[in-house]
Amino acid sequence: MKHAAKRASYQAIKADVLQRIRDNIWPPGTLLPGEIELAEEFQCARATVNRAMRELADEGVIDRKRKSGTRVKTAPTRQAKFTIPLIRLEIENAGKNYRYAMVHRQKQTAPRWLCGRLALHSAAQVLHLQCIHYADESPFQYEARWINLSAVPKAESESFEKIGPNEWLINHVPFTEAELTFSAKSATKDIAAMMSLSEGASLLTAERTTWLSDAPVTYAQLYFHQSYKMTTRI
């Protein structure tokens, strides 16, 4: 009895196409065979080829256009994926003991500057939080955060005494869009006191805003200790 040939999986097709590109069989700019032709070559369904090519396009390896076909990109791009880091894990992964302390918690009407920044109405209610994250009992990060209570109403009943607001939000609220800005700022008298630094000391600062669909979720100002170093890979 003759057995049917095993059909290629989309992973195998993807790996084969990548290898041909790397071996310069299909150099940058090459117009690739169509899905029907590739399906015949790999003895699989057209949908299987489509999935493999879709992933390669998402990864920035090829460029797919309905009328002009699929080409190998001349300058492959990488798609950045944004993941909000947990300061607790950063500290623990560095082999240090983590401790968290709440400094201030207050429900309030959003200040005018925050209404302008997040497009909130003038009567919007927010939860304002200030906290410090420690590494081996030394201040590592000062966090000032405002949570939009219309987007995250359950935050109002959370004390945030045992868990930081960033970690709580990651565990409870998804986000669809984020904006992150880095800058160097001089420590004010209050921030310098909380971070055990001299007033005017230079600090790496991050401002982060997240949204869920069109609703702003939170705005945070993060001040890192002078020893902080950030590394990222794309």
Side-chain angles (χ1 to χ4, degrees), residues 56-199:
L56 288 171
D58 289 341
E59 293 169 10
V61 177
I62 60 176
D63 186 26
R64 304 175 81 197
K65 292 183 179 178
R66 182 167 296 180
K67 292 185 178 181
S68 55
T70 301
R71 292 184 182 273
V72 179
K73 279 196 170 183
T74 54
T77 56
R78 288 184 179 269
Q79 193 174 55
K81 295 182 179 180
F82 179 71
T83 302
I84 294 178
L86 289 179
I87 196 69
R88 174 179 60 81
L89 294 181
E90 288 189 48
I91 292 171
E92 291 176 347
N93 289 338
K96 298 181 179 181
N97 294 317
Y98 171 77
R99 184 169 70 85
Y100 158 81
M102 171 61 64
V103 177
H104 174 82
R105 180 189 186 281
Q106 180 185 16
K107 178 183 176 182
Q108 62 181 134
T109 301
R112 289 183 63 184
W113 66 266
L114 186 64
C115 290
R117 188 179 189 93
L118 300 184
L120 298 173
H121 59 79
S122 59
Q125 296 296 295
V126 297
L127 190 63
H128 181 209
L129 303 163
Q130 293 172 281
C131 51
I132 302 178
H133 305 269
Y134 295 86
D136 285 346
E137 295 306 316
S138 295
F140 190 82
Q141 183 197 79
Y142 164 68
E143 176 181 354
R145 183 179 294 274
W146 292 260
I147 299 175
N148 177 17
L149 291 176
S150 66
V152 195
K154 56 187 174 183
E156 186 175 355
S157 61
E158 174 61 47
S159 69
F160 295 102
E161 291 292 338
K162 295 182 178 180
I163 185 172
N166 182 58
E167 188 163 354
W168 185 88
L169 285 164
I170 289 174
N171 292 335
H172 290 83
V173 185
F175 70 94
T176 54
E177 187 178 350
E179 178 182 279
L180 186 62
T181 302
F182 290 101
S183 61
K185 291 186 178 180
S186 298
T188 63
K189 183 178 180 179
D190 290 342
I191 292 176
M194 286 187 283
M195 296 292 287
S196 298
L197 297 169
S198 58
E199 184 177 354

